[in-house]
Amino acid sequence: MELRSKKNILYIITLFIALIIVGRLIQLQVFGQQEYGKESEKNAVKKIIVTPARGLMYNRNGKVIVDNKPSYTLTITPYLFEQNNLETISGLAEVEPEYIIEQISKATGTNRFNPVKIKRDLNFKSISYIEENRDKLQGIDYEIEAIRVYPDNFKASHIFGYTSEITEKQLSEQSGSYYRQGDIIGSTGLEKQYENFLRGEKGVRFITVDVKGKEVGKMNDGNDDVKPLNGYDLFLSIDSELQEYAEKLLSNKKGAIIAIDPQNGEILCMVSKPDFDLSVFAGSVKPEVFNNLVNDKDKPLFNRATQTKYPPGSTWKMMMAMAGLSSGKITPTSTINCPGSYTLGNRTFKDHGSYGNINVVKAIEVSSNVFFYKLSVMIGLENYHYYGKLFGFGTKTGIDIPNETSGLLPSEEYYKKIFGPQGHTAGTLVSLGIGQGELGVSPVQMVCYTAAVCNDGLYSQPHFVRKIKNNITGEEEFIKFNQRRIELPQKYFDLVKRGMYLVVNGPGGTARGIKSDEFILSGKTGTAQNPSGNNHSWFVGFAPYDEPKIAICVLGEFMGWGSQFAAPVAAALMIKYLSGQEEYNESAGNNIAD
Amino acid sequence: MSEKFVNKFDIILFISTALILIIGFVSIYSATHSTPNGADFYLKQIYFGISGLGIVILISYINPKHMSKISYFLYGLSVVLLILVLLFGKVINGNKSWFYIGGFGIQPSEFAKITTVLAIATFIGGSEEQKDVNKLAVFIKSCIFVVIPVVLIKLQNDTGTTLVFLSFLLPMFFWAGLSPFALFVIISPIILSLLSFAGNIYFYIGLLVILIALFTFKRNVYISIFAFILNFVSGFFVKYAYDKLEPYQQKRILAVFDPASDPLGSGYNVIQSKVAIGSGGIAGKGFLQGTQTQLKFIPEQWTDFIFCMIGEEFGFVGSGLLIILFLILISKMVSNAYISKNRFFSLTCIGFASIFLFHFTINVGMTVGIMPVIGIPLPLVSYGISSLLSFLIMIGIAMATYRYKTVYNM
């Protein structure tokens, strides 16, 4: 092809493009001027992001326990904001001027044209003031947003968790671009775990505004708007009455309670004390309030039900019995001589009683230490670790709230790491046998273990959420949680359960004080030795004996023997759940060592 | 003005450049004068624009002989800078393509455009014998010059600039004598893949047309069959790949072609920009009188959406004038390429003209709502020092092409 033709082709292409654009300009500017002129007169279209309401939470009876209410959020559009209004706004929002400046300065680039949320839950007086002084308050506005309310008489602070404003770090690390500065995101508990379900999808509204930025109407009658989609609702397994009662029984104490339905792992109540009031997080949490919570020496933000690691004490003995029987080191009829102490090398380990030759059932009933000292040495560390793992220790239970601990279930490797190449000694095993020493368990692990024992080996993943409801389609989805069977002989489970029955109902039982005429309660007391103060009181139990409907674990920090505090609390809660009666008898706590 | 001066100095290119620059100054002033620190924007642009015109004149004295000698070096240098910016650059608007030196942001990718065009022009037309681009080895080697910066810029997450690099290669091949058949084999699969989105019926009609075209070319049977299969496969593969994507990824791609499908994002700007331009009417609302633009309904309207400003405040008359100026400017660059006896400068000029045309088409097309939203500036008008200077350098070299039109390759 000749160069001249090529030149002409390029001329034609350029001219062709220019003509298309000119044609389009004629369409827009010559023929479209009236239409677009009107549009720009009313004018100016502004895009408002509409935040959806978070999904609600219901208790096991279908009653709302986490609700929303409308609240006013003060916003500033940085681009329009005038510095001389800073003092006024600081007064209206009750925040420091420096804070406002900081918030505005975070909005860069195109964000400067979008409103920045400054303060949530603004009072009505401030709203009226803004409405009356719009002309002076350029760029200052408010939005209606939903914030959390908790209608019931309990806190459940560690269950629901709180939401908070998204941090800069979270913003920059998010996958995708859903969140913007000032958005709310679940920070702890169910709010965090189920954030993607609860948050919904944002919508957008196009409005026309006048020169002062005041709304004058909808653009295109709202046909271009995208409706926000509200979050999905969570249906929880929480029993409100039980939760409230459990919080009451543990008030002014430190510790944790968790109860589950042993058939399926549904959590009926969970308390960690001290706790805190979630409603302070609903609007804008005041920095000093938050700092007080973080710095409180009693750690109210810490979830003792899922995050503590204490030795389980004698509540561990069912585990030892199952391990001894299943590994063949003892039989149902074999007996071990239990004088008042056990000597190994030059060390003597004490017991709180002398029981003579007893079998494994009796050993659980009276909580003999010598029996389990000897049994532990017999089964060895490898079996100890194997069976411990089988009952869910040393691993996370998979409870559906974040930051669970996996606890500590020692193995040979562990001891080699801390003691050096020689590993553990027989003396180590003696302590481990009665649930002391280098063993760390959380209340949620304990309740799952108890449920598995009372249910003949069916181990269920503990969870709060039964089903999730999609509010747009109305569909309900049941969440599938894991269940596994611990394959050990039925007769061994029967023996261990018999022992737990006798703990409460036998003549020598360590928790005989909580025996109930109405229901057959079963369980096991435990005491975690605490070198730096009073011991921690444990109780795990289930009821009714023949057909368990509830499994429970109570931990009272610094409350002494298991029989002293944890057992009567657990008994009261089991009876409450089964009958609705509240009959807590503090004096049922007898001072029986375990 | 002596005849000799006019014969050496490309007065048409210079004046149209200066006029476009002035329109840019006025628009940026109008877009930013009421923003805090607005003076930073328009004063900087005016300062660099005017001193840039001086640079244009200086560059117009560079002899092609010297230029082609250093073009590989310049290309290598800009590749190094692209690597450095990936490692040490600053992220702005999601693109890691900036260096900050004493308060000024510098974008190496803007200058890489120029050096890549120069390198390819040197490779094909810089030696005594022009290379035959119909030879596969020459063709592939030329492509590699583009692939290297494209990969580096894509890694900076700057899709708009990446596309610019793909825009000048084909026109340069065309100018260097690539056969119409080869052009057809390259362009038809692209068109066919786009057609496959419009629906199966369009895809098959397109395929039929291509089949007929291949017959009329009367080329080697095997090559024709290969070209047909290439078309067929690319059409199917693109659609198949698209269907395999997650819905949110599909949504993102759709939004490029149909802004209304993403009203939360880019669609908003296009709605606003159409209202701004349309409401300007024939004569415009007048300088500083545009309500759309003065009320800042279009974010950062002094950069990629600057054409709204002109459309609203100066109407059809103003925007038409700007389009005519661009038409003159681009045609003059093509004309310089045509009259030049120097193959290296001639090819360079075509490369630069393509870059101007591509920027102009995409940018103006986007603001009037007939092109996908791709963030690239309007040459010489949009605010941005790196892009302003790089376009002025191109103009300078196009003017040098005019001055040294009789200097043959050695």
Side-chain angles (χ1 to χ4, degrees):
Chain A
M1 202 187 291
E2 264 187 65
L3 210 55
R4 174 185 293 273
S5 329
K6 288 186 198 167
K7 177 192 72 174
N8 289 335
I9 288 176
L10 292 183
Y11 278 167
I12 290 166
I13 292 175
T14 311
L15 189 66
F16 180 70
I17 290 171
L19 284 178
I20 288 179
I21 288 172
V22 168
R24 175 66 171 174
L25 285 174
I26 291 175
Q27 189 192 2
L28 289 177
Q29 298 190 298
V30 179
F31 296 110
Q33 200 230 336
Q34 277 204 316
E35 183 197 332
Y36 288 114
K38 263 187 217 152
E39 191 93 44
S40 92
E41 261 169 46
K42 281 192 288 182
N43 184 335
V45 185
K46 214 171 169 190
K47 179 177 78 175
I48 308 278
I49 304 245
V50 191
T51 313
R54 284 180 83 79
L56 307 182
M57 298 187 205
Y58 295 85
N59 71 7
R60 67 187 293 116
N61 304 316
K63 183 177 166 289
V64 176
I65 49 176
V66 177
D67 204 350
N68 292 321
K69 68 169 184 190
S71 84
Y72 297 106
T73 300
L74 178 80
T75 65
I76 291 181
T77 305
Y79 179 73
L80 298 170
F81 182 65
E82 286 161 3
Q83 288 289 328
N84 53 16
N85 284 325
L86 195 59
E87 285 298 320
T88 320
I89 292 310
S90 154
L92 282 179
E94 296 165 330
V95 292
E96 297 296 313
E98 291 75 29
Y99 174 79
I100 297 176
I101 293 169
E102 194 194 318
Q103 291 301 307
I104 294 176
S105 65
K106 278 189 208 157
T108 53
T110 55
N111 284 335
R112 298 194 305 116
F113 301 91
N114 295 321
V116 173
K117 291 168 184 166
I118 298 294
K119 170 79 193 287
R120 289 191 154 78
D121 210 8
L122 208 62
N123 62 40
F124 193 72
K125 225 176 85 190
S126 305
I127 297 302
S128 316
Y129 184 86
I130 293 174
E131 275 300 340
E132 287 157 18
N133 297 282
R134 260 190 195 285
D135 292 354
K136 275 183 271 170
L137 301 174
Q138 281 279 312
I140 292 153
D141 208 338
Y142 59 88
E143 285 175 19
I144 297 175
E145 271 192 310
I147 61 168
R148 285 300 199 203
V149 275
Y150 307 92
D152 272 27
N153 270 332
F154 54 80
K155 290 187 179 146
S157 28
H158 300 94
I159 302 177
F160 304 146
Y162 57 86
T163 56
S164 48
E165 211 161 276
I166 192 162
T167 62
E168 273 173 84
K169 190 158 173 278
Q170 286 172 315
L171 264 182
S172 60
E173 284 171 2
Q174 66 171 318
S175 61
S177 56
Y178 181 82
Y179 296 101
R180 303 166 70 104
Q181 188 193 345
D183 278 357
I184 287 291
I185 187 169
S187 288
T188 61
L190 293 171
E191 296 275 19
K192 180 175 184 184
Q193 184 88 9
Y194 292 93
E195 165 69 15
N196 288 350
F197 293 98
L198 290 168
R199 74 177 189 199
E201 284 293 326
K202 287 178 197 163
V204 61
R205 251 174 357 112
F206 292 102
I207 55 165
T208 51
V209 292
D210 66 12
V211 182
K212 284 184 181 140
K214 197 171 173 180
E215 182 171 349
V216 291
K218 291 176 180 169
M219 188 200 79
N220 194 9
D221 287 330
N223 284 332
D224 294 340
D225 294 1
V226 178
K227 279 214 173 79
L229 304 177
N230 279 354
Y232 294 5
D233 294 340
L234 304 183
F235 285 79
L236 310 183
S237 54
I238 291 294
D239 182 308
S240 290
E241 285 189 33
L242 194 66
Q243 177 74 23
E244 186 180 341
Y245 192 41
E247 289 188 11
K248 198 173 118 192
L249 293 182
L250 211 55
S251 57
N252 303 321
K253 313 249 177 359
K254 286 180 205 154
I257 296 174
I258 178 164
I260 69 174
D261 181 338
Q263 309 300 329
N264 51 26
E266 287 179 356
I267 298 168
L268 306 170
C269 71
M270 184 188 86
V271 182
S272 170
K273 288 277 181 182
D275 50 8
F276 56 97
D277 194 355
L278 282 174
S279 59
V280 304
F281 289 92
S284 303
V285 58
K286 289 201 176 72
E288 63 269 23
V289 173
F290 186 70
N291 286 338
N292 283 346
L293 280 174
V294 171
N295 299 328
D296 190 326
K297 65 174 174 34
D298 290 336
K299 296 194 182 347
L301 294 174
F302 184 71
N303 184 356
R304 287 163 165 79
T306 62
Q307 295 177 295
T308 49
K309 284 188 272 194
Y310 283 128
S314 300
T315 55
W316 186 251
K317 287 174 180 167
M318 288 81 82
M319 216 314 290
M320 292 303 297
M322 288 305 296
L325 290 163
S326 307
S327 61
K329 303 292 180 197
I330 53 169
T331 68
T333 51
S334 55
T335 57
I336 293 178
N337 183 26
C338 299
S341 67
Y342 171 63
T343 305
L344 182 81
N346 54 3
R347 273 185 77 187
T348 297
F349 297 88
K350 283 193 181 144
D351 202 343
H352 34 71
S354 155
Y355 308 104
N357 285 320
I358 54 170
N359 65 12
V360 66
V361 175
K362 188 73 185 168
I364 293 175
E365 178 189 348
V366 298
S367 201
S368 162
N369 282 352
V370 171
F371 186 96
F372 291 100
Y373 290 149
K374 290 182 176 174
L375 181 59
S376 188
V377 174
M378 281 155 75
I379 67 171
L381 186 60
E382 200 175 313
N383 274 326
Y384 184 93
H385 186 84
Y386 173 78
Y387 287 101
K389 194 145 193 180
L390 210 52
F391 280 90
F393 295 101
T395 55
K396 294 182 178 178
T397 63
I399 187 172
D400 54 348
I401 50 173
N403 304 329
E404 182 191 359
T405 178
S406 41
L408 173 62
L409 178 67
S411 61
E412 188 62 33
E413 268 169 62
Y414 170 80
Y415 283 116
K416 281 194 170 139
K417 214 158 74 188
I418 59 164
F419 289 165
Q422 79 276 14
H424 76 286
T425 61
T428 320
L429 266 171
V430 172
S431 293
L432 286 177
I434 59 159
Q436 309 288 359
E438 296 81 15
L439 184 61
V441 302
S442 67
V444 64
Q445 285 176 327
M446 289 310 283
V447 77
C448 290
Y449 144 75
T450 307
V453 168
C454 80
N455 225 344
D456 304 327
L458 184 67
Y459 190 101
S460 306
Q461 183 182 358
H463 58 273
F464 292 101
V465 174
R466 308 168 100 183
K467 60 180 181 187
I468 295 180
K469 184 179 172 194
N470 178 335
N471 278 318
I472 296 108
T473 61
E475 272 171 47
E476 294 184 348
E477 191 197 339
F478 283 85
I479 307 294
K480 190 96 188 75
F481 290 95
N482 292 328
Q483 275 194 322
R484 65 180 166 93
R485 190 157 280 285
I486 300 171
E487 298 285 356
L488 296 177
Q490 179 63 44
K491 55 184 180 198
Y492 299 157
F493 281 111
D494 290 341
L495 284 172
V496 169
K497 282 196 285 183
R498 184 72 194 158
M500 292 175 79
Y501 168 85
L502 291 171
V503 168
V504 179
N505 301 288
T510 54
R512 56 186 180 263
I514 62 166
K515 184 176 176 184
S516 156
D517 299 332
E518 209 178 335
F519 300 102
I520 304 179
L521 311 179
S522 312
K524 182 74 193 78
T525 54
T527 307
Q529 288 165 7
N530 179 11
S532 57
N534 212 348
N535 289 340
H536 305 311
S537 171
W538 280 103
F539 187 83
V540 296
F542 64 91
Y545 178 68
D546 296 316
E547 201 187 322
K549 290 198 169 68
I550 177 171
I552 192 166
C553 169
V554 176
L555 166 67
E557 289 181 359
F558 315 111
M559 298 302 287
W561 299 111
S563 62
Q564 221 172 333
F565 172 76
V569 167
L573 285 165
M574 286 192 279
I575 289 168
K576 166 76 183 168
Y577 181 68
L578 296 172
S579 70
Q581 304 297 316
E582 296 188 3
E583 41 194 53
Y584 175 54
N585 180 3
E586 204 173 341
S587 58
N590 38 13
N591 272 320
I592 300 174
D594 49 54
Chain B
M1 219 180 287
S2 72
E3 201 173 312
K4 199 179 167 215
F5 174 79
V6 176
N7 197 26
K8 291 278 184 198
F9 188 83
D10 191 345
I11 193 84
I12 298 176
L13 201 51
F14 188 78
I15 288 180
S16 49
T17 301
L19 288 176
I20 293 174
L21 271 182
I22 290 167
I23 293 179
F25 298 157
V26 171
S27 313
I28 291 168
Y29 176 79
S30 178
T32 60
H33 73 101
S34 63
T35 48
N37 309 326
D40 275 5
F41 291 99
Y42 60 81
L43 287 179
K44 230 190 229 179
Q45 183 86 355
I46 291 171
Y47 172 77
F48 279 95
I50 291 173
S51 38
L53 281 179
I55 295 172
V56 164
I57 295 172
L58 283 180
I59 289 177
S60 78
Y61 280 93
I62 296 180
N63 192 302
K65 289 177 185 168
H66 306 308
M67 187 60 122
S68 70
K69 267 180 203 146
I70 58 163
S71 63
Y72 285 147
F73 169 74
L74 291 175
Y75 176 78
L77 187 69
S78 53
V79 168
V80 170
L81 283 175
L82 285 174
I83 295 170
L84 289 178
V85 85
L86 258 185
L87 300 175
F88 309 110
K90 192 173 156 74
V91 180
I92 291 181
N93 295 335
N95 297 348
K96 191 172 184 177
S97 58
W98 295 78
F99 275 131
Y100 256 82
I101 299 171
F104 284 108
I106 293 176
Q107 253 181 311
S109 56
E110 289 294 338
F111 298 101
K113 285 176 203 170
I114 302 173
T115 58
T116 307
V117 169
L118 288 173
I120 295 173
T122 307
F123 176 69
I124 298 174
S127 43
E128 242 167 288
E129 285 278 316
Q130 171 164 343
K131 290 199 176 70
D132 182 1
V133 288
N134 289 304
K135 282 188 180 146
L136 197 61
V138 176
F139 184 88
I140 289 174
K141 281 179 192 162
S142 317
C143 289
I144 290 171
F145 280 108
V146 171
V147 169
I148 295 167
V150 158
V151 169
L152 291 170
I153 292 166
K154 189 67 196 136
L155 288 175
Q156 299 165 5
N157 210 7
D158 186 352
T159 313
T161 309
T162 313
L163 291 174
V164 174
F165 274 79
L166 300 176
S167 71
F168 57 73
L169 189 59
L170 216 51
M172 286 175 81
F173 278 150
F174 172 67
W175 196 250
L178 192 65
S179 74
F181 179 73
L183 280 172
F184 176 78
V185 173
I186 295 168
I187 296 172
S188 59
I190 299 170
I191 294 172
L192 204 61
S193 331
L194 290 176
L195 275 181
S196 67
F197 282 95
N200 277 340
I201 185 81
Y202 294 100
F203 173 69
Y204 289 116
I205 291 173
L207 211 56
L208 192 69
V209 171
I210 284 162
L211 200 61
I212 294 167
L214 284 172
F215 272 111
T216 47
F217 271 114
K218 289 197 176 100
R219 296 293 286 248
N220 179 313
V221 178
Y222 296 107
I223 296 179
S224 297
I225 290 174
F226 167 75
F228 182 74
I229 291 173
L230 185 71
N231 270 292
F232 191 77
V233 170
S234 61
F236 261 106
F237 178 74
V238 169
K239 188 80 174 66
Y240 175 79
Y242 176 80
D243 288 338
K244 282 276 158 198
L245 292 175
E246 299 287 328
Y248 78 92
Q249 290 171 316
Q250 292 183 345
K251 203 170 138 191
R252 232 181 255 175
I253 292 173
L254 267 186
V256 174
F257 295 102
D258 176 19
S261 71
D262 182 21
L264 279 165
S266 48
Y268 169 77
N269 287 355
V270 173
I271 293 171
Q272 293 290 6
S273 135
K274 269 166 32 184
V275 171
I277 293 169
S279 66
I282 294 173
K285 295 177 183 170
F287 184 47
L288 306 184
Q289 301 303 311
T291 52
Q292 278 290 102
T293 34
Q294 292 304 325
L295 288 173
K296 322 292 177 218
F297 287 105
I298 299 147
E300 310 240 338
Q301 51 198 338
W302 47 91
T303 58
D304 295 346
F305 278 89
I306 190 82
F307 191 74
C308 310
M309 197 83 230
I310 300 157
E312 187 180 23
E313 299 198 341
F314 305 107
F316 182 65
V317 175
S319 40
L321 175 72
L322 184 67
I323 288 166
I324 290 171
L325 286 172
F326 269 109
L327 196 58
I328 293 171
L329 183 126
I330 294 165
S331 309
K332 189 67 180 60
M333 287 169 93
V334 174
S335 154
N336 286 0
Y338 175 67
I339 58 174
S340 172
K341 301 278 187 285
N342 185 285
R343 277 195 308 272
F344 161 64
F345 259 6
S346 172
L347 269 174
T348 304
C349 242
I350 289 297
F352 292 164
S354 314
I355 292 176
F356 269 85
L357 183 62
F358 183 78
H359 272 264
F360 169 76
T361 311
I362 296 289
N363 182 286
V364 178
M366 159 184 92
T367 46
V368 299
I370 55 171
M371 278 284 165
V373 176
I374 298 169
I376 56 174
L378 185 57
L380 308 174
V381 182
S382 289
Y383 172 79
I385 303 308
S386 294
S387 100
L388 175 69
L389 290 179
S390 90
F391 284 117
L392 285 173
I393 292 169
M394 293 183 208
I395 296 288
I397 294 172
M399 285 176 68
T401 310
Y402 185 80
R403 179 179 298 279
Y404 298 108
K405 51 188 172 281
T406 54
V407 176
Y408 284 83
N409 280 33
M410 295 162 294

